[in-house]
Amino acid sequence: MATHPIILNPRSKNITEGKSRAPNRSMYYAMGYEAADFKKPMVGVANGHSTITPCNSGLQKLADAAVAGIEEAGGNAQIFGTPTISDGMAMGTEGMKYSLVSREVISDCIETCVQGQWMDGVLVVGGCDKNMPGGMMGMLRANVPAIYVYGGTILPGKYKGQDLNIVSVFEAVGQNAAGNLSDEDLLQIERRAVPGTGSCGGMYTANTMSSSFEALGLSLPYSSTMANPHDEKMNSAKESAKVLIEAIKKDIKPRDIVTRKSLENAVAVIMATGGSTNAVLHFLAIAHAAQVPWTIDDFERVRVRTPVLCDLKPSGKYLAVDLHKAGGIPQVMKILLAAGLLHGDCITITGQTIAEVLKDLPDVPRADQDVIRPIDKPMYKQGHLAILKGNLSPEGCVAKITGLKKPVMTGPARVFDDEQSALAAILAGKIVAGDVMVLRYLGPKGGPGMPEMLAPTGALIGAGLGESVGLITDGRFSGGTWGMVVGHVAPEAAVGGLIAFIHESDSVTIDSVQLLLQLNVPEAEIAKRKVGWKAPPPRYTRGVQAKFAFNASTASKGAVLDDY
């Protein structure tokens, strides 16, 4: 271990001063500490490694690299674990209801360990979707110097000359049910779609959040699009640890970095890269943890001025590994900065400003690639995550509107009170072009846990109905979802939102031009339907699901548990 002096955060001095601290030191001696170690910062490594999912099964090598970096830079690494739920594995099952709950559990773990052990800083290593916002929320709550190390994206699978990813499987199920894909092809796609470790490969939720963390300034440049199997990911983890030690010396804290301006930077990058609808929910929660005023309407404010610059899946052609080769998030940010769409004066964990980090990059993307478009030739002139309002969602809801040939539709409601019956109807051919599927009682309280609807939306895409069938829900969507879909409808059905009172065949309008979600039923009829309505009994009465359902705020406030 290096022994050069470190300027300690006052938090850790309590370990070294006074005879009353002897019992505390004794516990450290039991783990191999020496007297000189108590002059070094105590740095937590929140390790999300598990063999639950390929997103996290490649994290241990990154945690090990981070520990080595901390020790080389003169710190003491204190490793603790955080859990994960695999959205891809839990999708379509009761387990999916634990996904959003895990965001809160992860943030609680980090806050608890960092504060309970009085750590001087924390490095968070995570991979799967909720590791990202959960880790960031925990960092912001503890508010000691911190850095996020993303586990890295997965490499693409291959079959018959085509790149595959996890969403390929969900869409293949719909193609197979529609008679457009053989059983053998479905089996081969299933076997080949996920070839190794790393998080789902498109601009889905994990890569969306990692990219936005880089834009926030709490991850190192280029780190958000690296592939987990590549050595540069380990090298970046080690470098992140060394940068964190410097941040501890300078006392640069997460809440110094996460401001209203840096949130605008993060959301601009989400829009420019075509990121996940989940980013809206999670950044509402992140802003809440940072104690920064931020509402659902702020996303719309940033959207209308920010073009979509990247041609990325799910609605585009390319994967995160392709974005990395094309220049990564720094190149996207430099284009936005040169166009006046980014705040260059925001500080990063390195101590540099965004403008300083990007100063040597060109204002235009390389001509030998078409993953990143120039500012004057964007994929779309405005961002893709639109906030719709109307009588069905007065608090706002989220629609992903890029890639759609028809941004407006009105059709008869096909009403389902659970995901499974909706999926069965699609696979049985009972949903036809022009229908508007309504999936309800799936919100933060009603689900509980606001499960994602990738199985139904993937089946619609596979059946060729992605642009001709609408789907609205008070639940969420996977980052891999695209089509005429609207999620996070609030108020949700379980608290008496209007979505609870839609009847089969009612006329529903989704209008992403006028930003409208409307039930076309007379007010007098709606009033009659509401008479005598009672909230359904909770699905869970004990454990984390019951606690989540009882405490969760509305989706329009991030479904946080501490909005008191």
Side-chain angles (χ1 to χ4, degrees):
M1 277 190 197
T3 57
H4 61 274
I6 293 287
I7 300 172
L8 287 176
N9 185 311
R11 295 162 63 90
S12 63
K13 288 186 179 179
N14 291 330
I15 296 173
T16 64
E17 292 176 351
K19 294 180 180 179
S20 65
R21 305 305 291 175
N24 307 69
R25 294 196 297 270
S26 182
M27 300 291 278
Y28 286 96
Y29 285 132
M31 295 186 291
Y33 281 59
E34 298 176 356
D37 289 323
F38 299 120
K39 297 184 182 296
K40 302 172 184 176
M42 301 293 184
V43 183
V45 176
N47 184 7
H49 172 81
S50 74
T51 55
I52 286 174
T53 169
C55 307
N56 288 51
S57 61
L59 297 188
Q60 188 58 51
K61 62 186 180 183
L62 306 185
D64 291 342
V67 169
I70 289 167
E71 294 181 349
E72 286 180 17
N76 293 316
Q78 298 185 307
I79 307 167
F80 61 93
T82 62
T84 200
I85 295 295
S86 170
D87 289 29
M89 292 174 169
M91 202 72 69
T93 73
E94 191 71 7
M96 186 65 222
K97 295 177 180 178
Y98 285 84
S99 170
L100 187 58
V101 174
S102 75
R103 182 188 77 179
E104 306 304 314
V105 175
I106 292 164
S107 57
D108 287 352
C109 284
I110 292 169
E111 179 189 2
T112 299
C113 285
V114 172
Q115 299 290 59
Q117 293 301 123
W118 214 238
M119 294 173 182
D120 297 299
V122 63
L123 180 148
V124 180
V125 185
C128 201
D129 293 5
K130 305 310 172 295
N131 294 182
M132 314 298 291
M136 185 60 65
M137 291 159 64
M139 287 161 54
L140 286 161
R141 287 189 206 161
N143 201 34
V144 298
I147 195 167
Y148 201 101
V149 173
Y150 177 44
T153 188
I154 202 167
L155 295 171
K158 300 281 186 181
Y159 182 59
K160 291 187 173 180
Q162 298 293 317
D163 282 354
L164 300 175
N165 60 88
I166 187 61
V167 177
S168 305
V169 185
F170 287 91
E171 294 181 359
V173 169
Q175 291 176 298
N176 179 259
N180 297 325
L181 188 75
S182 71
D183 290 348
E184 176 61 21
D185 283 340
L186 174 59
L187 177 63
Q188 292 303 322
I189 290 170
E190 177 188 11
R191 287 179 173 175
R192 298 165 186 257
V194 183
T197 56
S199 297
C200 299
M203 192 48 67
Y204 309 145
T205 302
N207 285 325
T208 298
M209 299 307 293
S210 70
S211 299
S212 61
F213 289 179
E214 187 176 325
L216 266 182
L218 278 163
S219 290
L220 292 189
Y222 299 101
S223 66
S224 65
T225 51
M226 293 174 179
N228 177 266
H230 292 168
D231 288 345
E232 67 175 349
K233 189 70 250 188
M234 274 198 302
N235 296 336
S236 178
K238 189 172 185 179
E239 180 61 23
S240 297
K242 294 181 177 181
V243 167
L244 176 58
I245 295 295
E246 292 302 311
I248 292 171
K249 293 179 185 179
K250 298 171 185 174
D251 199 25
I252 301 173
K253 300 186 185 75
R255 287 190 221 161
D256 299 327
I257 295 170
V258 179
T259 63
R260 189 166 172 82
K261 288 167 71 174
S262 69
L263 286 172
E264 289 183 357
N265 285 350
V267 173
V269 166
I270 290 165
M271 298 296 177
T273 55
S276 167
T277 55
N278 282 309
V280 175
L281 188 81
H282 296 326
F283 265 92
L284 286 165
I286 287 167
H288 177 76
Q291 300 179 357
V292 175
W294 188 265
T295 72
I296 196 168
D297 295 322
D298 287 313
F299 293 93
E300 184 61 26
R301 180 174 54 81
V302 176
R303 180 190 77 83
V304 296
R305 71 186 191 212
T306 310
V308 179
L309 298 176
C310 299
D311 189 4
L312 297 169
K313 289 181 181 295
S315 58
K317 291 190 295 187
Y318 295 106
L319 297 170
V321 289
D322 302 308
L323 174 60
H324 191 62
K325 293 173 188 174
I329 294 302
Q331 182 61 80
V332 176
M333 292 177 68
K334 185 57 181 291
I335 296 168
L336 294 173
L337 180 65
L341 298 173
L342 222 60
H343 300 289
D345 58 342
C346 290
I347 193 171
T348 71
I349 190 63
T350 66
Q352 294 179 295
T353 64
I354 291 291
E356 289 170 339
V357 170
L358 302 175
K359 65 182 175 62
D360 294 329
L361 292 177
D363 293 348
V364 295
R366 297 197 323 264
D368 64 346
Q369 58 79 46
D370 63 347
V371 183
I372 307 171
R373 303 287 184 88
I375 195 77
D376 59 346
K377 295 180 181 177
M379 294 286 295
Y380 306 96
K381 292 182 179 180
Q382 293 184 325
H384 63 302
L385 300 180
I387 305 302
L388 276 53
K389 293 189 176 181
N391 67 354
L392 267 173
S393 191
E395 293 180 14
C397 54
V398 186
K400 186 183 278 189
I401 61 175
T402 49
L404 297 176
K405 294 171 186 165
K406 297 179 180 178
V408 179
M409 75 174 296
T410 296
R414 303 298 308 280
V415 182
F416 303 90
D417 288 347
D418 62 79
E419 178 188 3
Q420 289 71 29
S421 60
L423 177 61
I426 297 166
L427 296 179
K430 295 179 179 178
I431 303 299
V432 299
D435 286 345
V436 178
M437 299 184 71
V438 178
L439 280 65
R440 63 190 182 189
Y441 292 102
L442 296 165
K445 292 181 179 294
M450 218 177 168
E452 294 179 351
M453 304 290 111
L454 180 57
T457 58
L460 285 173
I461 297 295
L465 297 170
E467 296 201 55
S468 59
V469 169
L471 191 154
I472 70 171
T473 180
D474 50 8
R476 296 184 296 126
F477 293 116
S478 163
T481 294
W482 70 279
M484 182 61 84
V485 297
V486 182
H488 311 193
V489 171
E492 62 176 292
V495 299
L498 187 55
I499 191 172
F501 302 99
I502 302 175
H503 286 185
E504 189 78 8
S505 299
D506 280 350
S507 172
V508 174
T509 294
I510 304 171
D511 187 335
S512 59
V513 176
Q514 297 187 61
L515 304 179
L516 181 68
L517 184 66
Q518 191 78 10
L519 176 62
N520 303 311
V521 170
E523 285 295 326
E525 171 60 22
I526 291 173
K528 281 199 293 186
R529 294 179 186 183
K530 289 183 175 181
V531 173
W533 180 85
K534 292 182 180 179
R539 299 179 191 268
Y540 290 83
T541 57
R542 291 288 186 273
V544 294
Q545 287 283 13
K547 288 188 283 187
F548 187 92
F550 183 81
N551 288 292
S553 75
T554 177
S556 65
K557 292 186 176 182
V560 297
L561 303 189
D562 58 350
D563 183 35
Y564 303 123

